[in-house]
Amino acid sequence: MSRRRHSDESDAGSQPHKRRRTSEPIEIEDRLESLICRVGEKSTSSLESNLEGLAGVLEADLPNYKSKILRISCAVARLLPEKLTVYTTLVGLLNARNYNFGGEFVEAMIRQLKETLKSNLYSEAVYLVRFLSDLVNCHVIAAPSMVAMFENFVSVTQEEDIPQVRSDWYVYVVLSSLPWVGKELYEKKDVEMDRLLNQIEGYLKRRQKTHVPMLQVWTAEKPHPQEEYLDCLWAQVQKLKKDRWQERHILRPYIAFDSVLCEALQHNLPPFTPPAHSDDAVYPMPHVVFRMFDYTDAPEGPVMPGSHSVERFVIEENLRCIIKSHWRERKTCAAQLLSYPGKNKIPLNYHIVEVIFGELFQLPSPPHIDVMYTALLIELCKLQPGSLPQVLAQATEMMYMRLDTMNTTCIDRLINWFSHHLSNFQFRWSWDDWADCLTQDIEKPKPKFVKEVLDKCMRLSYHQRIVDIVPPSFSALIPADPVCSYKYGEEADSSLPGLAMATTVGNAIKNRASNEEILIVLKDVPNPNQDDDDDGGDGFNPLKIEVFLQTLLHLAAKSFSHSFSALAKFHEVLKTLTDSDEGKLHILRVLYEFWRNHPQMISVLVDKLIRTQIVDCAAVANWIFSPEMAHDFTRFYVWEILHSTIRKMNKHVQKIQNELDEAKVKLEKQHNKKQRDSGDEEDMEKNSEDEEGQLEEQIERLQEKVESAQSEQKNLFLVIFQRFIMLLTEHLVRCETSGVDLNTTWYKNGIERLQQIFLMHHVIIQQYMGTLENLLFTAELDHHILAVYQQFCALQL
Amino acid sequence: MSIKLNALFSDSYVDISQYRDQHFKGNRYEQEKLLKQSCSLYVGNLSFYTTEEQVHELFSKSGDVKRIVIGLDKVKKTACGFCFVEYYTRADAEHAMRFINGTRLDDRIIRTDWDAGFKEGRQFGRGKSGGQVRDEYRQDYDPARGGYGKLLQKS
């Protein structure tokens, strides 16, 4: 898709693929789209005169292009919420000149609102309702009819047997429109509005907030409470009401046109009944408001609006909308953020940094891919080199200080962001400022964070670089040199079992032995489990696995590609050796032992072993929870491996499901074709019957495959949750019996890692809720562990 | 539902560039078609010392990496400053074009571009001396890429 640039209206002839300026309908429609989309951007003329001009142009085009103008206007209402008031003003001006257009626009908006609600596009629906409410300010919609719509929304709180997230949303959409229209509605209908707000207050008091702890970035209340989003918005609206609805932040171009607009005739919104709840409705999940700055943090310049001021809400909303519109183009996104209207009255850099981290740390997951935020922050630093890097450093310092109460999932993301960011700036950082972490137990959040950051920094550079960038006092936190540990090397004890065999195998591999030849060589390896081995030497033999794999990995240790090649070449041998569950577990153990200083290598090799079906996902899960891995249980790379494993499982199921769906579509097409062709020659009918038969067979096979894959998927989650429960219960029981405080660093990590499983894979897990509740998360479970499950359930109730 | 407002939501980081592989077996149209659906990226301006591990770590940030092929000097068979990164899905490769292209790896700003798909032989530099063409003629001194350009070195 090529980008067409129009700096202003006179540029229309410059598109490279258009030969001449014509009045072809398609080109005029494109031009209209461009004019409407670009109004409000940087211009030599004032916004008001641009709006006036555009209104004139559109009015003139209404007779011929009305439906196109209607569609574009509806689209900008839905897709450009950060320019809400610019477009409501435009619609207001058009309505003043052409009453019918105003009426048709309102009708089109209502239709669009219905469609977005039906399609689970709730954030867009919010923008549409907000747009409608701002149209009250532009004299397009009569205030009483807007109040009536709000009343219908709030009455959803009286519905029975609905998920809380449904009524939450309808309350949210009313409250979040009030910064724009509260004043006008109160002036016209204060009695009704008071009643509305009372109803909302009552609802907010009785709703459940079980989900909150799971969604908070920090568990501490200080310095900034992490508030539930509706509670925060309510406080903001209350404050706005107390200030008599005086709101000074929102840019309102329509004020300049008041004399024109108040002459316009208003329309009444048709009565709008919220669509009934249905089972396939997916309402937005609740969230917690992320706050890291307040007015004390910006040292000079404009003051940051308070946490319960409506300005704060509007600024955050608008910045998030800008990111939502422009995330694909980081330079544009950064430029748009930095040219936020009204930026001179607020410490914009602080707001931007706070919003970006708020999104990055959002639970369950950020709105966009993590790496986008890293790239965006780098662009922002480039555009504001004199100010933004300092704010970012201040933010990083703050987050370091508060690591003790930060959610583990968020710490993971912070580690990834910080290390990647540093790698773009020659790893320059004032590490000495963090010397306080050196005196703490290395498992505590601060030293752990620094250690993991240095781990990641090393992956993006090399070991000596890390040694060079940190002060010598930090040596305990520097990662190990990522070299392998070959147990059959020159320093090996001569009595080590398998030593001689390792040399034999090594030579065989170097002499390009085939898989069969290697297996023959390995037949001579004795089995330390000799007593259990009664199937003639083909059963699980841990020594065979060790001798072969250690030697193979050693020969291929040079790079990832060498190791991948080795695994591919000897796939057959590996498959044979790991035929049993014990075999699969052991190969992972051997891999870990060999590469324990190189977690990155472990990760990529585990990935390859799964993809080549040498081990299955459940084996990886069991391995991670095995006693041998207890030492690394709190290390970041272990959880990266587990989540990557779960994702592979999920993608596998999805892939087969897609194949099944495609086959079903094909079959249906075949049916339709058959109906059309029926009555044709016998041959053709027979052919199509054959095809149909084949398709049906294929569908049956795929159906079985899907069921089998889903069963494997369910089993994987069961294994993981079971192991968590065992491990955590053990700890809790031990603490209770010995009277020790259960809240150790290890426990905090463990319980939050359990939470993380739910959060990162909530969509899939929701399918298996029944089984989980019946088998694992029963009432007999320790309440600490059960609480995690209950918080998760509360996310969609 | 409604229109998409093409004028506004461009995705230019994902567009194909002007570069076309002169050794590609097929016509321009075929090459462009492959580029537009490719999951493979060419990565340039690497240091000669950048490792597969570093490339893997960085490019994994936009999705699961299927394969990396480090570019080699045709004569010396050592790394000569480029590589190919292949993803399992197009979407992951697009994220790399949007967020990794133009950022640093091993302290150098790297450049990514769509590649029509790895074929044996494409891992070798096409410069006369064995490395990349750009290292034949450049005049500057770049310690991470063998110092001066090859032509300059010979003179």
Side-chain angles (χ1 to χ4, degrees):
Chain A
M1 172 177 25
S2 64
R3 175 178 52 181
R4 279 168 279 150
R5 278 215 153 275
H6 298 269
S7 50
D8 58 42
E9 295 177 30
S10 62
D11 224 8
S14 67
Q15 296 105 313
H17 59 287
K18 300 239 171 30
R19 286 176 300 279
R20 58 196 159 81
R21 198 181 302 207
T22 70
S23 51
E24 291 290 336
I26 300 294
E27 290 180 11
I28 294 207
E29 288 190 4
D30 285 344
R31 187 157 178 272
L32 285 175
E33 191 178 301
S34 172
L35 287 174
I36 295 174
C37 289
R38 300 218 171 274
V39 74
E41 292 185 10
K42 268 202 182 87
S43 164
T44 46
S45 328
S46 72
L47 175 60
E48 284 79 19
S49 80
N50 280 337
L51 280 171
E52 179 100 58
L54 182 55
V57 168
L58 294 178
E59 188 196 0
D61 281 328
L62 275 179
N64 295 319
Y65 296 100
K66 182 179 68 173
S67 63
K68 181 75 178 177
I69 293 173
L70 272 175
R71 287 208 336 267
I72 300 171
S73 309
C74 283
V76 297
R78 189 167 53 90
L79 300 171
L80 288 175
E82 63 268 28
K83 289 168 74 179
L84 173 70
T85 50
V86 169
Y87 290 117
T88 52
T89 308
L90 181 63
V91 173
L93 292 172
L94 284 173
N95 180 56
R97 295 163 189 237
N98 187 320
Y99 178 78
N100 284 333
F101 173 79
E104 289 188 56
F105 178 76
V106 171
E107 274 169 31
M109 285 286 283
I110 294 292
R111 273 198 305 274
Q112 206 181 196
L113 178 59
K114 288 197 174 115
E115 278 177 55
T116 49
L117 290 176
K118 231 177 24 178
S119 318
N120 285 325
L121 293 169
Y122 287 96
S123 53
E124 294 188 3
V126 170
Y127 305 147
L128 292 176
V129 173
R130 218 179 266 165
F131 195 95
L132 289 172
S133 63
D134 202 43
L135 285 179
V136 172
N137 295 325
C138 301
H139 298 263
V140 177
I141 291 179
S145 68
M146 194 72 225
V147 174
M149 180 183 245
F150 283 172
E151 281 170 347
N152 280 348
F153 284 174
V154 174
S155 66
V156 171
T157 60
Q158 306 299 324
E159 287 176 9
E160 291 183 355
D161 288 328
I162 52 160
Q164 184 175 282
V165 284
R166 170 177 163 86
S167 37
D168 280 354
W169 186 80
Y170 281 99
V171 165
Y172 174 74
V173 81
V174 171
L175 288 177
S176 72
S177 304
L178 292 182
W180 282 267
V181 74
K183 181 153 183 276
E184 190 67 22
L185 292 186
Y186 247 83
E187 272 174 19
K188 297 277 163 34
K189 286 276 179 186
D190 62 331
V191 171
E192 286 80 355
M193 287 302 292
D194 268 335
R195 190 172 32 206
L196 206 66
L197 288 185
N198 280 337
Q199 268 187 290
I200 291 178
E201 188 173 17
Y203 172 72
L204 292 177
K205 285 207 175 98
R206 63 175 194 268
R207 67 191 273 270
Q208 295 278 33
K209 295 205 280 216
T210 324
H211 53 273
V212 174
M214 196 177 226
L215 302 177
Q216 286 175 317
V217 172
W218 289 287
T219 53
E221 284 287 299
K222 292 198 185 336
H224 309 115
Q226 304 295 295
E227 283 183 283
E228 212 269 348
Y229 79 112
L230 277 183
D231 289 343
C232 184
L233 183 53
W234 175 249
Q236 287 163 332
V237 168
Q238 289 288 83
K239 183 163 185 299
L240 178 62
K241 182 174 174 206
K242 235 197 263 170
D243 293 340
R244 291 177 312 132
W245 305 99
Q246 299 298 333
E247 188 289 319
R248 280 180 240 284
H249 178 82
I250 296 174
L251 190 75
R252 298 178 194 257
Y254 39 82
I255 294 179
F257 293 103
D258 198 50
S259 54
V260 168
L261 292 177
C262 69
E263 297 290 307
L265 289 173
Q266 298 172 325
H267 304 266
N268 281 316
L269 278 174
F272 187 90
T273 323
H277 173 65
S278 78
D279 279 332
D280 27 322
V282 180
Y283 303 100
M285 268 191 282
H287 61 273
V288 166
V289 177
F290 178 81
R291 285 284 154 71
M292 66 181 298
F293 291 131
D294 62 34
Y295 70 96
T296 61
D297 293 308
E300 12 167 89
V303 172
M304 194 169 220
S307 59
H308 284 165
S309 72
V310 87
E311 282 78 21
R312 196 71 179 263
F313 173 78
V314 172
I315 293 165
E316 285 165 2
E317 269 293 289
N318 284 337
L319 292 177
R320 294 191 79 156
C321 289
I322 291 174
I323 295 175
K324 191 159 186 250
S325 296
H326 300 286
W327 65 270
R328 290 177 192 81
E329 296 203 329
R330 61 198 205 232
K331 285 189 169 61
T332 307
C333 195
Q336 290 284 343
L337 286 170
L338 289 171
S339 50
Y340 180 71
K343 63 184 175 175
N344 296 318
K345 296 190 247 158
I346 54 174
L348 183 60
N349 285 341
Y350 285 86
H351 284 290
I352 290 175
V353 167
E354 188 177 70
V355 164
I356 288 177
F357 280 121
E359 289 205 356
L360 180 61
F361 296 140
Q362 187 173 299
L363 297 168
S365 40
H368 306 287
I369 188 174
D370 295 31
V371 70
M372 184 279 283
Y373 299 102
T374 312
L376 180 58
L377 283 169
I378 293 174
E379 288 305 317
L380 287 164
C381 285
K382 279 195 213 159
L383 288 176
Q384 296 262 285
S387 56
L388 206 114
Q390 291 87 317
V391 177
L392 206 49
Q394 191 181 349
T396 308
E397 178 65 36
M398 261 184 201
M399 291 187 286
Y400 169 80
M401 298 296 287
R402 299 174 199 170
L403 281 170
D404 288 334
T405 55
M406 194 185 221
N407 184 302
T408 302
T409 303
C410 300
I411 297 181
D412 286 351
R413 295 185 201 160
L414 182 60
I415 292 167
N416 279 333
W417 167 73
F418 188 48
S419 54
H420 188 188
H421 182 85
L422 285 180
S423 76
N424 274 272
F425 295 97
Q426 299 101 43
F427 297 107
R428 273 179 282 126
W429 183 251
S430 45
W431 299 98
D432 274 318
D433 289 352
W434 289 355
D436 65 318
C437 76
L438 298 171
T439 53
Q440 294 184 14
D441 178 294
I442 210 167
E443 282 293 311
K444 287 263 179 259
K446 283 182 184 169
K448 196 166 195 22
F449 168 76
V450 173
K451 193 164 183 292
E452 297 283 4
V453 165
L454 293 178
D455 247 352
K456 288 279 171 155
C457 285
M458 182 176 74
R459 293 196 195 190
L460 289 167
S461 58
Y462 49 94
H463 188 256
Q464 186 57 44
R465 188 78 195 278
I466 304 306
V467 173
D468 292 339
I469 61 163
V470 294
S473 50
F474 276 71
S475 56
L477 300 179
I478 292 174
D481 201 0
V483 294
C484 59
S485 309
Y486 185 46
K487 71 194 286 188
Y488 302 113
E490 282 162 9
E491 302 87 42
D493 192 317
S494 54
S495 64
L496 183 65
L499 182 57
M501 190 49 69
T503 315
T504 314
V505 169
N507 288 334
I509 295 174
K510 282 187 230 174
N511 289 327
R512 301 177 191 283
S514 69
N515 278 269
E516 287 103 35
E517 287 162 348
I518 296 287
L519 282 169
I520 292 171
V521 167
L522 286 176
K523 267 205 184 334
D524 294 334
V525 176
N527 192 336
N529 299 342
Q530 196 67 43
D531 300 339
D532 307 327
D533 183 24
D534 45 354
D535 45 358
D538 284 339
F540 167 56
N541 182 338
L543 190 57
K544 256 192 210 179
I545 296 176
E546 273 183 54
V547 164
F548 178 67
L549 188 59
Q550 279 253 352
T551 306
L552 183 68
L553 289 179
H554 186 234
L555 288 170
K558 187 157 184 236
S559 76
F560 287 179
S561 285
H562 286 84
S563 297
F564 295 161
S565 272
L567 291 181
K569 188 155 195 286
F570 292 103
H571 183 258
E572 211 185 295
V573 174
L574 292 166
K575 249 331 225 180
T576 310
L577 291 177
T578 61
D579 203 25
S580 59
D581 280 347
E582 306 148 298
K584 293 180 168 64
L585 198 55
H586 201 70
I587 196 179
L588 292 167
R589 270 196 214 110
V590 172
L591 168 62
Y592 170 73
E593 258 190 53
F594 186 83
W595 277 121
R596 60 182 176 271
N597 289 327
H598 198 342
Q600 190 195 12
M601 178 66 96
I602 298 177
S603 304
V604 303
L605 289 181
V606 169
D607 177 81
K608 264 297 179 273
L609 290 175
I610 294 176
R611 289 189 193 270
T612 53
Q613 299 179 310
I614 292 171
V615 302
D616 59 355
C617 296
V620 175
N622 278 317
W623 165 64
I624 284 175
F625 284 94
S626 68
E628 293 84 28
M629 289 300 284
H631 178 258
D632 276 5
F633 192 70
T634 58
R635 285 187 67 183
F636 189 6
Y637 84 90
V638 166
W639 300 98
E640 284 187 321
I641 291 177
L642 184 61
H643 286 286
S644 169
T645 302
I646 299 173
R647 275 198 308 270
K648 278 191 273 286
M649 181 81 248
N650 295 343
K651 283 193 186 151
H652 174 68
V653 172
Q654 190 61 53
K655 183 160 173 273
I656 309 177
Q657 184 69 55
N658 291 342
E659 283 173 27
L660 176 62
D661 292 340
E662 270 172 37
K664 282 185 175 162
V665 165
K666 253 172 137 176
L667 184 65
E668 200 173 309
K669 280 204 184 124
Q670 191 66 16
H671 273 150
N672 295 340
K673 185 161 169 282
K674 191 167 145 199
Q675 276 174 11
R676 281 202 309 272
D677 292 349
S678 63
D680 281 356
E681 322 216 344
E682 260 182 53
D683 288 349
M684 283 179 68
E685 273 197 35
K686 187 165 186 309
N687 280 342
S688 73
E689 258 176 48
D690 281 342
E691 264 182 66
E692 222 180 276
Q694 276 178 6
L695 271 176
E696 280 170 359
E697 238 185 79
Q698 191 188 29
I699 287 178
E700 223 183 281
R701 267 186 286 121
L702 284 172
Q703 191 72 51
E704 276 174 29
K705 254 180 117 180
V706 164
E707 280 165 17
S708 152
Q710 280 176 334
S711 168
E712 204 189 324
Q713 184 183 51
K714 182 162 78 168
N715 183 56
L716 176 61
F717 281 110
L718 281 177
V719 166
I720 292 171
F721 285 131
Q722 223 159 25
R723 301 298 296 255
F724 260 118
I725 289 173
M726 275 162 51
L727 216 58
L728 293 171
T729 306
E730 219 180 271
H731 168 85
L732 290 167
V733 165
R734 209 180 321 122
C735 288
E736 210 184 303
T737 49
S738 50
V740 168
D741 182 17
L742 58 93
N743 281 316
T744 59
T745 319
W746 180 91
Y747 177 73
K748 177 180 187 283
N749 178 82
I751 199 91
E752 286 181 358
R753 289 293 178 197
L754 171 60
Q755 236 176 33
Q756 190 182 36
I757 304 283
F758 282 111
L759 288 175
M760 282 179 65
H761 308 284
H762 61 93
V763 176
I764 305 291
I765 293 175
Q766 241 137 27
Q767 293 170 23
Y768 301 121
M769 298 278 268
T771 312
L772 291 176
E773 212 163 305
N774 287 334
L775 290 183
L776 296 176
F777 294 98
T778 60
E780 283 91 53
L781 208 56
D782 185 301
H783 67 96
H784 292 98
I785 306 174
L786 196 55
V788 173
Y789 178 71
Q790 287 164 341
Q791 286 163 18
F792 167 70
C793 294
L795 286 181
Q796 261 291 306
L797 286 181
Chain B
M1 210 183 316
S2 349
I3 55 183
K4 284 278 191 180
L5 297 182
N6 292 329
L8 223 76
F9 297 125
S10 72
D11 197 1
S12 57
Y13 284 75
V14 161
D15 290 343
I16 65 175
S17 72
Q18 304 294 335
Y19 175 86
R20 297 291 175 268
D21 180 7
Q22 299 298 332
H23 295 204
F24 177 78
K25 299 235 165 25
N27 61 38
R28 276 292 144 105
Y29 171 75
E30 285 162 352
Q31 191 175 160
E32 279 172 29
K33 185 155 178 264
L34 286 176
L35 291 174
K36 285 180 183 163
Q37 54 192 43
S38 171
C39 302
S40 285
L41 301 177
Y42 161 87
V43 184
N45 200 38
L46 298 180
S47 148
F48 285 12
Y49 308 104
T50 298
T51 60
E52 188 187 350
E53 285 76 356
Q54 289 166 309
V55 173
H56 193 280
E57 178 70 12
L58 181 62
F59 282 85
S60 292
K61 291 181 185 297
S62 73
D64 291 337
V65 170
K66 186 171 179 185
R67 171 167 66 154
I68 294 171
V69 179
I70 298 285
L72 301 174
D73 182 299
K74 197 164 190 150
V75 174
K76 300 190 208 143
K77 302 293 198 287
T78 54
C80 69
F82 73 99
C83 72
F84 296 101
V85 175
E86 193 187 334
Y87 289 92
Y88 290 97
T89 69
R90 168 91 184 175
D92 292 345
E94 286 182 351
H95 282 325
M97 289 290 286
R98 292 185 190 110
F99 308 122
I100 300 178
N101 185 16
T103 66
R104 288 184 192 267
L105 176 56
D106 227 1
D107 292 320
R108 300 173 68 88
I109 301 218
I110 57 168
R111 196 179 62 83
T112 65
D113 196 2
W114 292 107
D115 184 70
F118 179 74
K119 291 254 180 331
E120 182 54 39
R122 297 196 69 231
Q123 71 270 41
F124 296 112
R126 294 174 181 169
K128 286 206 192 81
S129 317
Q132 289 199 282
V133 171
R134 62 205 295 258
D135 288 314
E136 288 292 313
Y137 304 111
R138 62 179 175 77
Q139 306 271 326
D140 62 322
Y141 180 77
D142 190 345
R145 287 183 74 101
Y148 287 106
K150 290 292 188 303
L151 220 58
L152 211 56
Q153 282 181 25
K154 285 177 195 160
S155 63

